[in-house]
Amino acid sequence: MGRIKTIARRSFLIGSAAIVGGVAFGTYMYKRDVANPLEADLGEGAATFNPFVKIDADAVTLITPRADVGQGAYSIQAHLIAEELDVDLDTVRIEPGPPSPAYYNGVVAVEGMPIAATSETMLARTGRGAANVVGKLMGLQLTGGSTTVPDMYERLREAGAVARETLIAAAAAQTGLEAGTLRTESGAVVLPDGVRLAYTDLAATAAETPVVEEVSLRDPSTWRHLGKPHMRTDMVAKSTGTQDYGIDLRMDGMVHATTRTNPALGGGILGFDASEAEAMRGVQAVLPITGGIAVVADNTWRAFQAAQAVACDWGDTPYIGDTALQFDAVATSFVEDRQDSRFKDEGDVTEALAGADVMEAEYRIPYLAHAPLEPMSVVVKLSDGRLDIWTGTQIPRFVQAGAASVAGLEAEDVYVHVLMSGGSFGRRLEDDYVRQAVEIAMQLPDTPIQMVWQREEDMTHDFPRPLAIARARGLASDSGVQGYDLSIAAPSVAKSSLARLGQPAMGPDVAIVAGAWDQPFAIPNYRVTGYRVPAMVPVSSWRSVGASGNGFLHECFFDEMCHSAGLDPLEERLRLCTHDVSRKVLEAVGEMSNWGSDPGAGRGRGLAFVLSFGVPVAQVVEVMDTGDGIRIDKVFVAADVGRVLDPVNFEAQVTGGVVWGLGHAMNCELTYAGGVAQQDNYHAFEGMRLYQTPQIEVRGLENGTKIQGIGEPGVPPAAPALGNAIFAATGQRIREMPFSKSVDFV
Amino acid sequence: MKLTVNGKEHEVDVEDDMPLLWVLRDELGITGPKYGCGIAQCGACTVHVDGIAVRSCQLAAGDLEGEVTTIEGLGTPEAMHAVQAAWVEHQVAQCGYCQSGQIMQAASFLDLNAAPTDDQIDAAMSGNLCRCGSYPRIRAAVKTAARRLQGV
Ligand code: FES
Ligand code: FES
């Protein structure tokens, strides 16, 4: 026990000065002032060295606190630890860990700051440092913003190295041998004579061994897994139906529930008649919850059927409920007192764009649903003042706090068990579904309750990606783009989603202009202005957040300017590019796509470039106008994350991002009537299907100086590259999503 | 009613119109087949009835004729079916939620068409949604599985 206290108070030396490149390794002091949550229920003879590694006589357990929503977060976190700890991942346990401030995210807060990824000014560096402080002080345990790798790259390798060196020290103490003569391999300390002491057998000794404080990280040239193709840890389970999601948990005495709340968002419920539902087979209860009803039954389908049979008297939505009016609210927001930001203001745009030869265009993007394939699901059990929650979530500490407030418990009485999510795309940054389940549990204690939403409930109760309108003005001549004035009006994601987490959102919302204001181009007169539309239906982060739509708004009009002046869109971007890493990405995609060559009759190529989440990504889409519609044949992608840790998953995330970006651009929108989302299942919100999927060629470059994540940055350039390709093939300029309003797709 | 799932006989007492999906998941605890849409749009619930791929959310229990195979019956982590092995080899899954259905669809399709063309693969697999966008690898894995099944 004494030792635990010492460790908790002790600072230890960790780290490497080199973020990428592995040249200059040093160590620095890192104040370890956050308690290790693994110490709480450490058994006899078990050891933990930091919040990420626990070893007992049975197993080595690696804690991978960033949520896995399909992006491979568990696997890459485990590989980061294993690379230093020397364990084989098929022999260890991989667990997400409990909610704890120790698992704070030290980089995600940067996304809320107006700091361009390409900026290295003192202000930018200070801001990045502040994000770490904010994350740590708040104990901000959050998965999002493509931050898992940049945030965990050093922390997890350090955790592995500290554990390894402490195990070596334990082996030295146990054998009387010099630590310097020992090495580690496959979960064991190996003695000079070849005898292997398994980590699990060393656990008890290690628990009594002072943690080795000074470690240095291995040079990337010696890595065995990282940087090389390796197998994700979840592939076998996900290919054999043995991966459990929240919808799959089965417990003794478990009942099945579903909820139905007012489809007119925020309208509440005035009353309901459950008499028919209550008489249906298997129905155990129809319960009131905030804004609607819950049905508890002995089978999910019976709960679904009964929920539909409850006659509900719904209230009216308090929001602007019709999409035409919602767009009107956006269109009337380009006024001074709604100006939210002007982070980019170069040259003299007013003067430069005063002439009659200025081009103007308006672009529109719709609301979009997340619609992960697993509908919202959660299992809850409330018993004797203890609340257990099993669910996929990107925000376990907010789930814990929110559930505690609903149930009137202390946060420490709420146990959140994080599960693999069947997709998210940002949806599991919300805790609305958990709160509903807790309301059910309060009316039905001592029973495990699995709550699953019907698909229709899921799609009509999303917090969508907001709609937006862009007004663009520009001027280009044969000597180049001279002026670009882009104004974007959208509701604030930050304000809407942070309010639901009980956090204030101060200052301008970077998301309104992300992916537009921060692009590395030296246009002489260049201005990007954000306008904040007053809040309408609640909105939230959607894969690549602001950049998801702003890439389209910024890049298609740039293409328009190039074509109007007879400029080659690639050459012009290269000419204007101020960021070497981005330039190489553009050059790479030009080479991959054979840009400039004749694409053939009826065919067209479109280029787009977006730097988001610190990652420059260029894409060329090649389409064919078949006469029966547009066919997307090929997509070329070049992206630079500084260092590619898992080339196989890198490619999967980029191609997935391209399919996501293209599919929604092709045929998806969420529209509202009377506050009710009109697209309530996949027949009306289809995205891309396999027969429409192009060949996608991906190249990962490693010129960037910082390591970055790739879950999101592949999305933003896809839609504009498609729009630009359709223009190249047909001469038709599309300024509104979904594109299916303007063209047919094969 | 009686039904045979993965070679095992079960007796369940359910309404005739309960979809097979929910008989499997909530009456028998076989959770490999997933619920995604309930309206034949996503394919996550795909199982085999006498070897043929069927959307189990659309098949009423009372209409079931034949033996049911779910992903659990196709192969296990220790002894994977060739299609599952190809899925692992190509690292197809992202969130993985659609993949039980994708694999069951592919396995049945390859059973009927051992040497499919690219267009036939596209047609056969396009009823299965993948929100994560794993389609390029699904194509590749189906081709690998086809070769393996033919012993090439
Ligand atoms: S759940 Fe059956 S097709 Fe979607
Ligand atoms: S892998 Fe996520 S839906 Fe297909």
Side-chain angles (χ1 to χ4, degrees):
Chain A
M1 248 349 253
R3 185 191 148 254
I4 289 173
K5 287 218 177 67
T6 335
I7 293 174
R9 259 185 270 113
R10 187 190 288 156
S11 306
F12 66 109
L13 282 166
I14 50 169
S16 90
I19 297 201
V20 176
V23 192
F25 282 99
T27 54
Y28 61 89
M29 291 292 289
Y30 182 85
K31 284 233 169 17
R32 185 168 179 268
D33 51 6
V34 187
N36 177 356
L38 305 181
E39 287 167 359
D41 49 13
L42 208 57
E44 186 69 25
T48 176
F49 316 98
N50 48 56
F52 305 102
V53 182
K54 184 171 78 177
I55 299 179
D56 62 21
D58 294 329
V60 175
T61 304
L62 309 184
I63 306 297
T64 57
R66 292 295 170 264
D68 203 318
V69 293
Q71 84 284 39
Y74 287 166
S75 182
I76 197 63
Q77 291 174 93
H79 278 94
L80 283 164
I81 302 173
E83 187 66 60
E84 291 287 343
L85 182 54
D86 292 329
V87 287
D88 299 329
L89 289 177
D90 50 359
T91 64
V92 304
R93 290 188 193 142
I94 299 171
E95 293 176 3
S100 165
Y103 303 124
Y104 71 92
N105 187 323
V107 296
V108 73
V110 178
E111 281 303 317
M113 300 178 184
I115 299 175
T118 49
S119 173
E120 280 306 334
T121 61
M122 193 182 78
L123 219 58
R125 290 199 305 271
T126 311
R128 289 184 194 118
N132 187 45
V133 174
V134 167
K136 193 165 180 175
L137 289 178
M138 281 182 66
L140 186 61
Q141 187 179 5
L142 182 148
T143 306
S146 295
T147 56
T148 296
V149 162
D151 187 32
M152 289 297 185
Y153 180 57
E154 289 202 34
R155 275 162 91 185
L156 292 181
R157 286 184 300 141
E158 285 155 1
V162 165
R164 179 193 72 224
E165 293 303 320
T166 309
L167 286 157
I168 287 178
Q174 190 167 307
T175 59
L177 294 164
E178 279 292 317
T181 66
L182 309 179
R183 60 191 181 86
T184 51
E185 182 188 273
S186 293
V189 177
V190 185
L191 308 185
D193 61 3
V195 169
R196 301 167 58 86
L197 304 178
Y199 290 168
T200 44
D201 294 337
L202 285 167
T205 313
E208 300 305 323
T209 305
V211 169
V212 175
E213 298 173 342
E214 192 169 331
V215 298
S216 34
L217 297 182
R218 289 175 172 160
D219 190 284
S221 66
T222 67
W223 283 348
R224 291 164 310 126
H225 307 292
L226 298 175
K228 303 184 170 70
H230 56 253
M231 184 58 70
R232 252 173 72 163
T233 51
D234 49 355
M235 284 299 142
V236 171
K238 288 178 174 176
S239 304
T240 52
T242 53
Q243 174 70 58
D244 273 345
Y245 305 86
I247 199 171
D248 297 325
L249 292 194
R250 295 292 177 263
M251 296 178 195
D252 284 346
M254 190 179 90
V255 295
H256 299 271
T258 196
T259 60
R260 231 181 111 206
T261 58
N262 192 337
L265 294 176
I269 187 163
L270 308 173
F272 67 93
D273 176 359
S275 45
E276 188 190 336
E278 279 165 349
M280 289 169 75
R281 181 171 170 188
V283 173
Q284 295 172 3
V286 179
L287 306 167
I289 60 162
T290 304
I293 57 101
V295 174
V296 180
D298 59 0
N299 176 298
T300 308
W301 179 75
R302 290 184 183 128
F304 285 178
Q305 301 298 107
Q308 292 310 124
V310 179
C312 296
D313 186 6
W314 301 126
D316 291 331
T317 182
Y319 307 116
I320 299 173
D322 295 283
T323 288
L325 299 175
Q326 291 163 339
F327 269 113
D328 286 349
V330 181
T332 52
S333 290
F334 292 91
V335 290
E336 208 178 308
D337 68 339
R338 292 194 181 161
Q339 184 177 318
D340 189 65
S341 69
R342 183 168 280 167
F343 301 135
K344 168 79 86 184
D345 194 0
E346 308 279 334
D348 188 340
V349 169
T350 313
E351 165 84 25
L353 299 183
D357 44 358
V358 167
M359 304 174 54
E360 291 190 348
E362 183 175 293
Y363 280 77
R364 288 181 176 224
I365 58 171
Y367 287 113
L368 287 171
H370 301 84
L373 200 57
E374 180 193 12
M376 292 304 100
S377 66
V378 53
V379 177
V380 290
K381 184 180 178 200
L382 178 63
S383 228
D384 298 330
R386 174 187 166 121
L387 177 61
D388 282 274
I389 299 171
W390 294 263
T391 194
T393 177
Q394 296 168 247
I395 48 166
R397 294 193 70 221
F398 290 107
V399 163
Q400 183 184 43
S405 80
V406 171
L409 296 172
E410 296 299 325
E412 67 249 33
D413 296 322
V414 178
Y415 294 77
V416 181
H417 314 273
V418 178
L419 303 174
M420 183 73 76
S421 295
S424 168
F425 317 110
R427 183 63 180 83
R428 288 189 183 266
L429 285 164
E430 302 289 334
D431 70 350
D432 53 323
Y433 58 100
V434 178
R435 287 168 182 259
Q436 288 188 351
V438 173
E439 287 193 51
I440 304 171
M442 290 166 70
Q443 300 176 69
L444 200 68
D446 303 319
T447 310
I449 302 156
Q450 179 175 63
M451 189 198 85
V452 173
W453 275 1
Q454 297 181 73
R455 171 56 54 195
E456 290 77 6
E457 189 71 11
D458 187 285
M459 284 195 61
T460 53
H461 295 83
D462 199 354
F463 301 88
R465 193 281 303 274
L467 76 184
I469 296 177
R471 294 194 177 148
R473 301 169 66 241
L475 183 67
S477 69
D478 53 10
S479 57
V481 173
Q482 305 299 323
Y484 191 178
D485 183 16
L486 183 65
S487 299
I488 301 171
S492 169
V493 164
K495 190 163 169 66
S496 185
S497 53
L498 287 173
R500 287 190 294 282
L501 299 178
Q503 303 295 321
M506 270 143 347
D509 182 0
V510 179
I512 293 174
V513 289
W517 81 274
D518 47 358
Q519 302 305 297
F521 298 111
I523 299 169
N525 305 285
Y526 192 8
R527 185 164 79 182
V528 179
T529 312
Y531 293 91
R532 184 183 295 217
V533 178
M536 298 191 280
V537 296
V539 291
S540 74
S541 294
W542 186 90
R543 193 175 187 176
S544 78
V545 202
S548 69
N550 294 338
F552 170 62
L553 307 175
H554 184 274
E555 286 298 279
C556 284
F557 189 71
F558 188 92
D559 198 69
E560 287 199 54
M561 287 192 286
C562 291
H563 282 285
S564 78
L567 302 166
D568 179 88
L570 176 58
E571 276 168 27
E572 183 59 3
R573 280 183 180 82
L574 285 169
R575 189 184 72 79
L576 291 167
C577 186
T578 55
H579 182 229
D580 264 347
V581 180
S582 297
R583 183 197 318 283
K584 288 179 179 135
V585 159
L586 281 161
E587 285 167 353
V589 89
E591 179 203 308
M592 292 164 74
S593 64
N594 206 4
W595 183 265
S597 66
D598 179 8
R603 309 179 69 84
R605 286 192 199 105
L607 166 71
F609 168 93
V610 181
L611 193 161
S612 64
F613 305 93
V615 182
V617 183
Q619 297 184 14
V620 169
V621 169
E622 203 173 301
V623 300
M624 168 86 187
D625 183 2
T626 65
D628 291 328
I630 299 290
R631 193 181 67 216
I632 308 173
D633 285 335
K634 285 183 188 152
V635 181
F636 302 92
V637 191
D640 195 318
V641 291
R643 184 181 281 282
V644 176
L645 294 180
D646 177 351
V648 181
N649 193 45
F650 175 85
E651 202 243 6
Q653 289 308 298
V654 173
T655 52
V658 168
V659 169
W660 180 261
L662 294 177
H664 290 92
M666 285 163 64
N667 60 32
C668 291
E669 64 179 334
L670 202 61
T671 59
Y672 291 87
V676 181
Q678 299 299 288
Q679 294 73 22
D680 67 355
N681 208 321
Y682 294 118
H683 66 287
F685 196 87
E686 201 165 18
M688 188 172 263
R689 288 192 179 269
L690 188 137
Y691 75 95
Q692 299 165 312
T693 305
Q695 280 179 31
I696 305 172
E697 196 181 307
V698 178
R699 190 182 294 178
L701 306 186
E702 299 187 312
N703 300 308
T705 51
K706 287 199 220 50
I707 192 160
Q708 304 287 6
I710 196 62
E712 297 171 278
V715 173
L722 174 60
N724 295 342
I726 292 171
F727 176 79
T730 66
Q732 185 178 356
R733 179 58 69 181
I734 303 179
R735 300 192 182 91
E736 189 179 4
M737 288 185 180
F739 297 173
S740 54
K741 286 183 166 178
S742 310
V743 292
D744 290 329
F745 288 93
V746 175
Chain B
M1 62 173 286
K2 279 195 169 61
L3 73 166
T4 305
V5 184
N6 301 330
K8 214 170 133 191
E9 225 179 275
H10 299 270
E11 173 104 43
V12 292
D13 174 18
V14 297
E15 303 84 321
D16 274 353
D17 59 346
M18 181 182 287
L20 174 63
L21 174 63
W22 298 108
V23 178
L24 294 170
R25 290 184 55 85
D26 288 6
E27 302 297 318
L28 302 178
I30 297 169
T31 56
K34 303 297 188 217
Y35 166 69
C37 70
I39 59 165
Q41 290 296 303
C42 76
C45 62
T46 305
V47 301
H48 295 175
V49 176
D50 285 343
I52 307 293
V54 172
R55 306 287 185 245
S56 67
C57 72
Q58 296 303 303
L59 180 63
D63 293 339
L64 174 64
E65 277 175 30
E67 293 197 7
V68 178
T69 307
T70 70
I71 183 93
E72 292 92 339
L74 190 72
T76 62
E78 295 72 35
M80 285 188 278
H81 183 274
V83 173
Q84 293 170 311
W87 245 247
V88 172
E89 183 183 330
H90 287 273
Q91 302 208 46
V92 173
Q94 292 190 30
C95 83
Y97 193 77
C98 71
Q99 301 296 349
S100 294
Q102 305 276 7
I103 289 167
M104 295 309 281
Q105 179 72 22
S108 156
F109 164 63
L110 291 176
D111 209 29
L112 300 170
N113 184 348
T117 65
D118 288 4
D119 283 350
Q120 288 169 335
I121 294 173
D122 278 16
M125 299 304 298
S126 281
N128 289 68
L129 267 185
C130 177
R131 290 289 285 159
C132 299
S134 67
Y135 300 130
R137 291 191 183 180
I138 291 174
R139 273 189 185 133
V142 171
K143 288 185 199 176
T144 297
R147 281 197 300 275
R148 294 280 151 71
L149 285 164
Q150 287 193 300
V152 184

